[in-house]
Amino acid sequence: MSLNPLICVAEVGQADAIAAVHVETWRVAYSGLLPQHVLDGLSVQRRGDGWREILRTQDGHTLVAVDAETGRVRGFTN
C-alpha cells in the first residue's frame, strides 16, 4: 500500500469499491457493539447500489482515498 494515497472526487464506477470499504469498516468497528446477525447481513451489493445512487445525484461531495500504486479504494468521506 502506498503511503501517499490520492484523494479525489468519487466516481460512479467506484461505487462497489466504496461499498466494500463501507461494509468491512462497519464489521470491524461495530463488532461486539451490534448484533452479529446485523453485521453478517450487510451486503456489499446492496450498499453498492446505494452508493451508485448517491454518486449519481451528488455533485462532488464524496471523496475517495485511492492507493497510488494499485488504484484500490482504501477509504472515503461523504
Side-chain angles (χ1 to χ4, degrees):
M1 181 174 81
S2 173
L3 297 177
N4 297 309
L6 303 173
I7 306 298
C8 53
V9 175
E11 299 176 1
V12 174
Q14 294 171 309
D16 289 333
I18 294 168
V21 170
H22 199 170
V23 167
E24 184 59 25
T25 56
W26 265 64
R27 287 181 175 156
V28 171
Y30 295 111
S31 178
L33 299 173
L34 292 176
Q36 191 60 43
H37 75 274
V38 171
L39 298 174
D40 291 343
L42 295 174
S43 164
V44 173
Q45 181 178 349
R46 282 193 312 266
R47 190 71 63 172
D49 291 343
W51 274 110
R52 265 183 284 290
E53 182 63 24
I54 289 168
L55 295 173
R56 278 191 203 109
T57 59
Q58 282 189 351
D59 189 21
H61 296 287
T62 301
L63 301 176
V64 289
V66 178
D67 186 304
E69 293 174 8
T70 67
R72 181 176 175 192
V73 173
R74 296 295 189 165
F76 67 93
T77 184
N78 182 278

